[in-house]
Amino acid sequence: MKFLVTGGAGFIGGNFAHYMVNTYPEDQIVVLDLLTYAGNLETLEPIMEKPNFKFVKGDIRDRELIDHLFAEEKFDMVVNFAAETHVDRSVEDPEVFITTNILGTQVLMDACRKYGIQRYHQVSTDEVYGDLPLDRPDLFFTEETPIHTSSPYSAAKAGADLLVQAYHRTFKLPVTISRCSNNYGPYHFPEKLIPLMISRALADESLPVYGDGMNVRDWLHVYDHCTAIDLILRKGREGEVYNIGGHNEKTNLEVVKTILAALNKPESLIHFVKDRPGHDLRYAMDPTKIETELGWKPKYTFETGIPQTIDWYLTHRDWWEHILQGDYQNYYKTMYKDRP
Ligand code: NAD
Ligand code: DAU
Protein backbone atom coordinates (compact mmCIF):
# COMPACT_ATOMS: atom_id res chain seq x y z
CA MET A 1 0.00 0.00 0.00
CA LYS A 2 1.16 3.51 -0.71
CA PHE A 3 0.18 6.33 1.67
CA LEU A 4 0.26 10.06 1.10
CA VAL A 5 0.71 11.85 4.43
CA THR A 6 0.24 15.60 4.02
CA GLY A 7 1.61 17.91 6.71
CA GLY A 8 4.02 15.14 7.72
CA ALA A 9 6.80 17.56 8.71
CA GLY A 10 4.57 18.95 11.47
CA PHE A 11 3.88 17.64 14.96
CA ILE A 12 1.22 14.95 14.53
CA GLY A 13 1.88 14.19 10.86
CA GLY A 14 5.57 13.73 11.73
CA ASN A 15 4.78 11.33 14.56
CA PHE A 16 2.38 9.48 12.22
CA ALA A 17 5.04 9.21 9.50
CA HIS A 18 7.51 7.73 12.05
CA TYR A 19 4.85 5.32 13.29
CA MET A 20 3.85 4.13 9.80
CA VAL A 21 7.39 3.81 8.40
CA ASN A 22 8.49 1.75 11.41
CA THR A 23 5.31 -0.31 11.91
CA TYR A 24 4.70 -1.21 8.26
CA PRO A 25 8.06 -1.62 6.46
CA GLU A 26 6.21 -3.23 3.54
CA ASP A 27 4.12 -0.05 2.93
CA GLN A 28 5.38 3.10 1.17
CA ILE A 29 4.96 6.43 2.95
CA VAL A 30 5.20 9.70 1.01
CA VAL A 31 5.13 12.91 3.05
CA LEU A 32 4.05 16.10 1.30
CA ASP A 33 4.66 19.29 3.26
CA LEU A 34 5.02 22.97 2.42
CA LEU A 35 7.50 23.49 5.27
CA THR A 36 5.74 26.53 6.69
CA TYR A 37 7.04 27.92 9.98
CA ALA A 38 5.49 24.79 11.60
CA GLY A 39 7.10 22.27 9.26
CA ASN A 40 10.53 20.96 10.18
CA LEU A 41 12.71 18.51 8.28
CA GLU A 42 14.62 17.75 11.49
CA THR A 43 11.44 15.99 12.64
CA LEU A 44 11.77 13.57 9.74
CA GLU A 45 15.54 13.02 10.08
CA PRO A 46 15.22 9.62 11.85
CA ILE A 47 13.23 8.15 8.92
CA MET A 48 14.51 10.20 5.97
CA GLU A 49 16.82 7.42 4.70
CA LYS A 50 14.41 4.52 5.24
CA PRO A 51 13.68 2.63 1.99
CA ASN A 52 9.89 2.94 2.42
CA PHE A 53 9.94 6.73 2.97
CA LYS A 54 9.98 9.71 0.65
CA PHE A 55 9.66 13.46 1.28
CA VAL A 56 8.17 15.92 -1.23
CA LYS A 57 8.05 19.65 -0.61
CA GLY A 58 4.81 21.23 -1.84
CA ASP A 59 1.56 23.00 -1.15
CA ILE A 60 -1.74 21.12 -0.91
CA ARG A 61 -3.37 24.17 -2.57
CA ASP A 62 -1.19 23.77 -5.68
CA ARG A 63 -3.51 21.92 -8.07
CA GLU A 64 -0.85 21.28 -10.71
CA LEU A 65 1.67 19.88 -8.28
CA ILE A 66 -0.94 17.69 -6.59
CA ASP A 67 -2.14 16.39 -9.96
CA HIS A 68 1.39 15.43 -11.00
CA LEU A 69 2.11 13.81 -7.67
CA PHE A 70 -1.05 11.67 -7.76
CA ALA A 71 -0.45 10.70 -11.41
CA GLU A 72 3.11 9.63 -10.60
CA GLU A 73 2.66 7.93 -7.23
CA LYS A 74 -0.77 6.25 -7.54
CA PHE A 75 -1.61 6.44 -3.84
CA ASP A 76 -3.89 3.92 -2.14
CA MET A 77 -4.58 6.05 0.93
CA VAL A 78 -4.39 9.78 1.65
CA VAL A 79 -4.18 11.12 5.21
CA ASN A 80 -4.53 14.90 5.38
CA PHE A 81 -2.79 16.47 8.38
CA ALA A 82 -1.69 19.60 6.49
CA ALA A 83 -3.24 22.69 8.05
CA GLU A 84 -2.65 25.97 9.75
CA THR A 85 -3.23 24.94 13.35
CA HIS A 86 -2.60 27.67 15.91
CA VAL A 87 -5.74 29.38 17.24
CA ASP A 88 -3.89 32.57 18.28
CA ARG A 89 -2.44 32.99 14.77
CA SER A 90 -5.93 32.53 13.28
CA VAL A 91 -7.13 35.43 15.42
CA GLU A 92 -4.32 37.63 14.07
CA ASP A 93 -4.63 36.60 10.40
CA PRO A 94 -7.46 34.25 9.37
CA GLU A 95 -6.94 34.13 5.60
CA VAL A 96 -4.29 31.43 5.26
CA PHE A 97 -6.45 29.24 7.53
CA ILE A 98 -9.25 29.41 4.97
CA THR A 99 -7.06 28.73 1.93
CA THR A 100 -4.97 25.90 3.39
CA ASN A 101 -7.54 24.20 5.58
CA ILE A 102 -10.53 24.39 3.21
CA LEU A 103 -9.25 24.92 -0.35
CA GLY A 104 -6.27 22.61 0.23
CA THR A 105 -8.67 19.88 1.34
CA GLN A 106 -10.73 20.39 -1.81
CA VAL A 107 -7.67 20.15 -4.09
CA LEU A 108 -6.62 16.88 -2.44
CA MET A 109 -10.09 15.36 -2.72
CA ASP A 110 -10.39 16.39 -6.38
CA ALA A 111 -7.15 14.50 -7.08
CA CYS A 112 -8.52 11.51 -5.13
CA ARG A 113 -11.62 11.52 -7.32
CA LYS A 114 -9.60 11.83 -10.53
CA TYR A 115 -7.02 9.14 -9.79
CA GLY A 116 -9.04 6.87 -7.48
CA ILE A 117 -8.00 5.91 -3.94
CA GLN A 118 -9.12 3.40 -1.35
CA ARG A 119 -9.51 6.01 1.38
CA TYR A 120 -9.23 9.75 1.97
CA HIS A 121 -8.85 10.45 5.70
CA GLN A 122 -9.38 13.95 7.08
CA VAL A 123 -7.61 14.71 10.36
CA SER A 124 -9.99 17.04 12.14
CA THR A 125 -10.32 18.33 15.68
CA ASP A 126 -12.63 18.46 18.69
CA GLU A 127 -12.64 22.26 18.25
CA VAL A 128 -15.30 21.95 15.51
CA TYR A 129 -17.81 21.19 18.29
CA GLY A 130 -17.16 24.53 20.03
CA ASP A 131 -16.87 24.32 23.80
CA LEU A 132 -18.63 22.88 26.85
CA PRO A 133 -19.50 24.77 30.05
CA LEU A 134 -17.12 24.42 33.00
CA ASP A 135 -19.95 23.62 35.44
CA ARG A 136 -21.30 20.58 33.51
CA PRO A 137 -18.61 17.87 33.86
CA ASP A 138 -21.26 15.33 32.79
CA LEU A 139 -21.28 16.68 29.19
CA PHE A 140 -18.99 15.34 26.43
CA PHE A 141 -18.67 15.82 22.67
CA THR A 142 -20.08 12.87 20.71
CA GLU A 143 -20.05 12.43 16.93
CA GLU A 144 -23.64 13.77 16.96
CA THR A 145 -22.77 17.05 18.75
CA PRO A 146 -23.60 19.94 16.37
CA ILE A 147 -20.74 21.83 14.72
CA HIS A 148 -20.48 25.18 16.52
CA THR A 149 -17.14 26.89 16.07
CA SER A 150 -15.43 29.74 17.96
CA SER A 151 -12.21 30.73 16.15
CA PRO A 152 -11.25 31.23 12.50
CA TYR A 153 -9.10 28.10 12.91
CA SER A 154 -11.96 25.89 14.08
CA ALA A 155 -14.36 27.42 11.53
CA ALA A 156 -11.92 26.54 8.73
CA LYS A 157 -11.50 22.97 10.07
CA ALA A 158 -15.30 22.64 10.26
CA GLY A 159 -15.65 23.96 6.70
CA ALA A 160 -13.23 21.28 5.53
CA ASP A 161 -15.17 18.56 7.42
CA LEU A 162 -18.42 19.60 5.75
CA LEU A 163 -16.74 19.52 2.35
CA VAL A 164 -15.37 16.02 3.05
CA GLN A 165 -18.87 14.83 3.96
CA ALA A 166 -20.28 16.48 0.81
CA TYR A 167 -17.69 14.70 -1.39
CA HIS A 168 -18.73 11.42 0.22
CA ARG A 169 -22.45 11.97 -0.33
CA THR A 170 -22.27 13.55 -3.78
CA PHE A 171 -19.28 11.85 -5.39
CA LYS A 172 -19.14 8.66 -3.26
CA LEU A 173 -15.53 9.43 -2.33
CA PRO A 174 -14.48 6.84 0.29
CA VAL A 175 -13.74 9.15 3.21
CA THR A 176 -13.36 9.01 6.98
CA ILE A 177 -12.95 11.86 9.48
CA SER A 178 -11.34 11.75 12.90
CA ARG A 179 -11.79 14.48 15.51
CA CYS A 180 -9.17 14.33 18.24
CA SER A 181 -8.68 16.21 21.47
CA ASN A 182 -5.50 18.18 22.33
CA ASN A 183 -2.32 16.24 21.58
CA TYR A 184 1.05 16.41 23.33
CA GLY A 185 4.32 14.53 22.90
CA PRO A 186 7.60 14.67 20.91
CA TYR A 187 8.13 17.21 18.09
CA HIS A 188 5.39 19.60 19.29
CA PHE A 189 6.05 23.15 18.06
CA PRO A 190 6.77 25.45 21.05
CA GLU A 191 3.98 27.92 20.28
CA LYS A 192 1.48 25.46 21.85
CA LEU A 193 0.84 25.30 25.58
CA ILE A 194 2.86 22.27 26.73
CA PRO A 195 6.10 22.71 24.73
CA LEU A 196 5.93 26.51 25.27
CA MET A 197 5.78 26.03 29.02
CA ILE A 198 8.51 23.37 29.08
CA SER A 199 10.94 25.45 27.00
CA ARG A 200 10.27 28.67 28.93
CA ALA A 201 10.43 27.01 32.35
CA LEU A 202 13.80 25.46 31.45
CA ALA A 203 15.06 29.00 30.66
CA ASP A 204 13.52 30.36 33.92
CA GLU A 205 11.28 32.65 31.85
CA SER A 206 7.75 33.70 32.85
CA LEU A 207 4.94 31.34 31.86
CA PRO A 208 2.01 33.23 30.24
CA VAL A 209 -1.27 31.63 31.39
CA TYR A 210 -4.33 33.09 29.64
CA GLY A 211 -7.14 34.46 31.84
CA ASP A 212 -7.48 32.61 35.14
CA GLY A 213 -5.99 29.33 33.85
CA MET A 214 -9.23 27.44 34.53
CA ASN A 215 -10.03 26.53 30.89
CA VAL A 216 -10.04 22.76 30.45
CA ARG A 217 -8.43 20.70 27.69
CA ASP A 218 -8.62 16.90 27.19
CA TRP A 219 -5.01 15.77 26.57
CA LEU A 220 -4.00 12.76 24.47
CA HIS A 221 -0.48 11.53 23.78
CA VAL A 222 0.27 11.86 20.06
CA TYR A 223 1.19 8.15 19.84
CA ASP A 224 -2.39 7.25 20.74
CA HIS A 225 -3.72 9.60 18.06
CA CYS A 226 -1.52 7.78 15.51
CA THR A 227 -2.78 4.31 16.49
CA ALA A 228 -6.37 5.58 16.31
CA ILE A 229 -5.92 6.92 12.76
CA ASP A 230 -4.20 3.70 11.70
CA LEU A 231 -7.21 1.69 12.97
CA ILE A 232 -9.71 3.98 11.23
CA LEU A 233 -7.82 3.62 7.94
CA ARG A 234 -7.83 -0.16 8.14
CA LYS A 235 -11.13 -0.89 9.87
CA GLY A 236 -13.20 2.32 9.97
CA ARG A 237 -16.43 2.56 8.03
CA GLU A 238 -16.54 4.87 5.00
CA GLY A 239 -18.38 8.14 5.52
CA GLU A 240 -18.05 7.93 9.31
CA VAL A 241 -16.71 10.38 11.88
CA TYR A 242 -14.70 9.01 14.84
CA ASN A 243 -14.01 11.02 17.99
CA ILE A 244 -10.62 10.36 19.64
CA GLY A 245 -9.81 11.17 23.26
CA GLY A 246 -8.69 9.50 26.46
CA HIS A 247 -10.62 11.28 29.25
CA ASN A 248 -7.60 13.26 30.47
CA GLU A 249 -9.20 16.58 31.31
CA LYS A 250 -6.99 19.13 33.05
CA THR A 251 -7.21 22.85 33.65
CA ASN A 252 -4.39 24.81 32.02
CA LEU A 253 -3.15 25.73 35.48
CA GLU A 254 -2.93 22.05 36.47
CA VAL A 255 -0.90 21.34 33.31
CA VAL A 256 1.52 24.21 33.95
CA LYS A 257 1.95 23.29 37.62
CA THR A 258 2.62 19.65 36.67
CA ILE A 259 5.37 20.78 34.28
CA LEU A 260 6.92 23.09 36.90
CA ALA A 261 6.92 20.32 39.52
CA ALA A 262 8.52 17.84 37.09
CA LEU A 263 11.27 20.34 36.22
CA ASN A 264 11.73 21.39 39.83
CA LYS A 265 10.93 25.03 38.98
CA PRO A 266 9.00 27.50 41.18
CA GLU A 267 5.31 28.35 40.62
CA SER A 268 6.33 32.01 40.87
CA LEU A 269 7.20 31.73 37.15
CA ILE A 270 3.45 31.64 36.38
CA HIS A 271 2.22 34.93 34.98
CA PHE A 272 -1.52 35.42 34.34
CA VAL A 273 -1.98 37.39 31.10
CA LYS A 274 -4.81 38.82 29.02
CA ASP A 275 -7.19 36.11 27.79
CA ARG A 276 -7.43 34.75 24.24
CA PRO A 277 -10.42 36.37 22.42
CA GLY A 278 -13.29 33.86 22.16
CA HIS A 279 -11.35 31.41 24.36
CA ASP A 280 -13.12 28.02 24.42
CA LEU A 281 -13.88 26.99 28.01
CA ARG A 282 -13.75 23.22 27.99
CA TYR A 283 -13.16 20.38 25.52
CA ALA A 284 -14.03 16.81 26.50
CA MET A 285 -14.36 13.89 24.10
CA ASP A 286 -16.57 10.82 24.30
CA PRO A 287 -14.49 8.14 22.51
CA THR A 288 -17.06 5.35 22.97
CA LYS A 289 -17.57 4.82 19.22
CA ILE A 290 -13.90 4.20 18.33
CA GLU A 291 -13.44 2.08 21.46
CA THR A 292 -16.43 -0.18 20.92
CA GLU A 293 -16.50 -0.31 17.12
CA LEU A 294 -12.76 -0.51 16.38
CA GLY A 295 -11.35 -1.68 19.72
CA TRP A 296 -9.05 1.36 20.14
CA LYS A 297 -7.48 1.84 23.58
CA PRO A 298 -4.94 4.55 24.42
CA LYS A 299 -1.55 3.44 25.76
CA TYR A 300 -0.88 6.58 27.81
CA THR A 301 -2.71 8.47 30.53
CA PHE A 302 -1.73 12.11 31.14
CA GLU A 303 0.15 10.92 34.24
CA THR A 304 2.33 8.49 32.22
CA GLY A 305 2.58 10.56 29.03
CA ILE A 306 3.70 13.85 30.53
CA PRO A 307 6.92 12.57 32.18
CA GLN A 308 7.81 10.78 28.90
CA THR A 309 7.21 14.02 26.97
CA ILE A 310 9.20 16.20 29.37
CA ASP A 311 12.02 13.69 29.20
CA TRP A 312 11.93 13.91 25.38
CA TYR A 313 12.31 17.71 25.52
CA LEU A 314 15.21 17.34 27.94
CA THR A 315 17.00 14.83 25.70
CA HIS A 316 16.21 16.58 22.36
CA ARG A 317 17.19 20.16 23.17
CA ASP A 318 18.70 20.69 19.71
CA TRP A 319 15.35 20.10 18.03
CA TRP A 320 13.49 22.84 19.88
CA GLU A 321 16.43 25.17 20.46
CA HIS A 322 16.89 25.44 16.67
CA ILE A 323 13.25 26.59 16.44
CA LEU A 324 13.69 29.15 19.21
CA GLN A 325 16.68 30.63 17.37
CA GLY A 326 14.65 31.41 14.20
CA ASP A 327 11.67 33.71 13.55
CA TYR A 328 10.18 32.41 16.75
CA GLN A 329 11.62 35.25 18.85
CA ASN A 330 9.70 37.80 16.73
CA TYR A 331 6.58 35.65 16.91
CA TYR A 332 6.73 35.52 20.70
CA LYS A 333 7.33 39.26 21.07
CA THR A 334 4.49 40.15 18.68
CA MET A 335 1.98 37.63 19.99
CA TYR A 336 2.54 38.35 23.67
CA LYS A 337 3.22 42.11 23.59
CA ASP A 338 -0.47 42.93 24.14
CA ARG A 339 -0.75 40.37 26.91
CA PRO A 340 0.78 42.19 29.86
P1 NAD B 1 1.40 21.55 12.90
O1 NAD B 1 1.09 22.99 12.79
O2 NAD B 1 2.45 21.08 13.84
O3 NAD B 1 1.79 20.98 11.46
C1 NAD B 1 1.12 21.34 10.29
C2 NAD B 1 1.98 20.92 9.11
O4 NAD B 1 1.27 21.23 7.90
C3 NAD B 1 3.33 21.65 9.03
O5 NAD B 1 4.36 20.74 8.79
C4 NAD B 1 3.16 22.62 7.85
O6 NAD B 1 4.37 22.89 7.18
C5 NAD B 1 2.19 21.84 6.99
N1 NAD B 1 1.41 22.72 6.08
C6 NAD B 1 0.78 23.88 6.40
N2 NAD B 1 0.21 24.41 5.31
C7 NAD B 1 0.46 23.56 4.29
C8 NAD B 1 0.12 23.55 2.91
N3 NAD B 1 -0.61 24.54 2.38
N4 NAD B 1 0.54 22.52 2.14
C9 NAD B 1 1.28 21.52 2.68
N5 NAD B 1 1.66 21.48 3.97
C10 NAD B 1 1.24 22.49 4.77
O7 NAD B 1 0.00 20.85 13.19
P2 NAD B 1 -0.37 19.57 14.09
O8 NAD B 1 -0.58 20.01 15.48
O9 NAD B 1 0.57 18.48 13.78
O10 NAD B 1 -1.80 19.23 13.49
C11 NAD B 1 -1.93 18.35 12.38
C12 NAD B 1 -3.40 18.17 12.05
O11 NAD B 1 -4.08 17.64 13.19
C13 NAD B 1 -4.13 19.47 11.72
O12 NAD B 1 -5.02 19.23 10.67
C14 NAD B 1 -4.87 19.84 13.00
O13 NAD B 1 -6.03 20.57 12.71
C15 NAD B 1 -5.18 18.46 13.55
N6 NAD B 1 -5.33 18.35 15.02
C16 NAD B 1 -4.36 18.84 15.85
C17 NAD B 1 -4.48 18.64 17.22
C18 NAD B 1 -3.42 19.14 18.19
O14 NAD B 1 -3.61 19.06 19.40
N7 NAD B 1 -2.26 19.63 17.74
C19 NAD B 1 -5.57 17.96 17.74
C20 NAD B 1 -6.54 17.49 16.86
C21 NAD B 1 -6.40 17.68 15.49
O1 DAU C 1 -8.26 20.48 20.70
C1 DAU C 1 -7.47 20.28 19.59
C2 DAU C 1 -6.73 21.54 19.26
O2 DAU C 1 -5.74 21.71 20.25
C3 DAU C 1 -6.10 21.52 17.87
O3 DAU C 1 -7.13 21.44 16.91
C4 DAU C 1 -5.25 22.76 17.65
O4 DAU C 1 -4.58 22.69 16.41
C5 DAU C 1 -4.23 22.85 18.76
O5 DAU C 1 -3.47 24.02 18.61
C6 DAU C 1 -4.92 22.84 20.12
O6 DAU C 1 -5.69 24.05 20.31
P1 DAU C 1 -5.68 24.83 21.72
O7 DAU C 1 -6.07 26.23 21.48
O8 DAU C 1 -6.44 24.07 22.76
O9 DAU C 1 -4.11 24.67 22.08
P2 DAU C 1 -3.04 25.70 22.67
O10 DAU C 1 -1.82 24.90 22.99
O11 DAU C 1 -2.89 26.91 21.83
O12 DAU C 1 -3.72 26.15 24.04
C7 DAU C 1 -4.10 25.19 25.03
C8 DAU C 1 -4.73 25.96 26.16
O13 DAU C 1 -3.71 26.71 26.82
C9 DAU C 1 -5.78 26.95 25.74
O14 DAU C 1 -6.82 26.98 26.72
C10 DAU C 1 -5.06 28.29 25.71
C11 DAU C 1 -4.01 28.13 26.81
N1 DAU C 1 -2.74 28.85 26.60
C12 DAU C 1 -2.08 28.67 25.43
C13 DAU C 1 -0.90 29.33 25.19
C14 DAU C 1 -0.17 29.15 23.88
C15 DAU C 1 -2.22 29.66 27.60
O15 DAU C 1 -2.82 29.79 28.70
N2 DAU C 1 -1.04 30.31 27.37
C16 DAU C 1 -0.36 30.19 26.19
O16 DAU C 1 0.71 30.86 26.04
Side-chain angles (χ1 to χ4, degrees):
M1 295 254 268
K2 193 180 266 192
F3 292 77
L4 172 64
V5 177
T6 67
F11 165 45
I12 308 173
N15 276 279
F16 185 73
H18 282 231
Y19 169 85
M20 293 296 284
V21 163
N22 293 320
T23 311
Y24 301 106
E26 71 285 5
D27 287 338
Q28 297 295 313
I29 314 300
V30 178
V31 160
L32 173 75
D33 198 293
L34 183 57
L35 299 180
T36 67
Y37 79 90
N40 188 347
L41 281 182
E42 289 182 39
T43 297
L44 295 173
E45 233 165 50
I47 55 171
M48 201 55 106
E49 302 305 325
K50 297 266 182 170
N52 63 338
F53 179 76
K54 181 167 156 184
F55 176 78
V56 178
K57 181 170 187 238
D59 190 333
I60 59 166
R61 295 164 297 185
D62 184 339
R63 214 169 259 284
E64 211 181 311
L65 176 139
I66 295 295
D67 198 273
H68 282 142
L69 188 67
F70 273 70
E72 204 170 289
E73 298 284 355
K74 302 185 176 47
F75 298 114
D76 299 297
M77 301 250 185
V78 175
V79 189
N80 182 25
F81 291 92
E84 288 292 333
T85 63
H86 193 33
V87 173
D88 292 326
R89 289 185 193 253
S90 83
V91 174
E92 293 302 307
D93 186 7
E95 187 152 339
V96 69
F97 286 76
I98 310 302
T99 62
T100 286
N101 299 5
I102 302 179
L103 295 177
T105 297
Q106 187 210 353
V107 169
L108 286 172
M109 289 194 298
D110 284 343
C112 290
R113 284 184 64 205
K114 182 169 170 188
Y115 292 98
I117 38 92
Q118 288 179 35
R119 180 68 63 79
Y120 173 87
H121 182 76
Q122 178 72 1
V123 181
S124 185
T125 168
D126 59 359
E127 298 204 12
V128 300
Y129 298 123
D131 61 354
L132 295 163
L134 291 176
D135 59 357
R136 289 292 307 274
D138 55 315
L139 295 181
F140 297 91
F141 296 135
T142 73
E143 289 80 2
E144 274 69 50
T145 302
I147 301 286
H148 187 81
T149 58
S150 310
S151 70
Y153 161 69
S154 55
K157 291 296 290 184
D161 283 14
L162 295 176
L163 201 58
V164 173
Q165 287 173 323
Y167 270 55
H168 175 64
R169 168 98 185 225
T170 305
F171 305 121
K172 309 279 178 278
L173 192 71
V175 306
T176 38
I177 297 175
S178 55
R179 296 181 178 144
C180 191
S181 62
N182 283 64
N183 283 209
Y184 66 97
Y187 302 111
H188 203 179
F189 193 87
E191 67 187 350
K192 308 280 169 62
L193 181 76
I194 288 179
L196 179 91
M197 297 302 169
I198 295 173
S199 58
R200 289 186 69 82
L202 284 170
D204 296 308
E205 289 170 330
S206 69
L207 308 186
V209 173
Y210 298 166
D212 60 6
M214 296 315 284
N215 300 59
V216 171
R217 295 293 182 265
D218 181 359
W219 294 97
L220 188 76
H221 193 282
V222 63
Y223 174 82
D224 290 319
H225 190 179
C226 295
T227 61
I229 293 174
D230 183 18
L231 259 184
I232 295 168
L233 288 174
R234 287 161 206 274
K235 293 195 193 158
R237 283 181 295 139
E238 279 175 31
E240 292 292 312
V241 173
Y242 293 91
N243 282 355
I244 310 170
H247 290 297
N248 288 289
E249 288 181 54
K250 304 283 170 204
T251 66
N252 293 336
L253 207 49
E254 282 174 308
V255 170
V256 174
K257 286 184 177 176
T258 301
I259 292 169
L260 286 171
L263 295 175
N264 205 15
K265 297 285 182 180
E267 289 188 5
S268 57
L269 287 176
I270 294 174
H271 187 53
F272 292 97
V273 301
K274 197 172 139 199
D275 211 351
R276 170 185 282 175
H279 197 174
D280 280 335
L281 293 172
R282 170 176 170 249
Y283 303 143
M285 277 305 208
D286 177 353
T288 305
K289 181 174 172 180
I290 190 167
E291 286 177 351
T292 53
E293 201 179 299
L294 305 184
W296 176 78
K297 276 265 169 289
K299 175 175 160 190
Y300 292 97
T301 61
F302 187 75
E303 284 63 35
T304 58
I306 267 292
Q308 183 265 14
T309 300
I310 292 174
D311 189 51
W312 188 89
Y313 280 85
L314 288 170
T315 52
H316 293 76
R317 287 189 87 113
D318 278 3
W319 182 87
W320 55 270
E321 281 176 355
H322 288 168
I323 294 172
L324 299 195
Q325 284 153 18
D327 285 345
Y328 184 87
Q329 295 301 331
N330 288 334
Y331 161 81
Y332 191 86
K333 274 192 208 120
T334 313
M335 190 59 85
Y336 288 84
K337 74 174 185 323
D338 294 328
R339 287 200 162 113

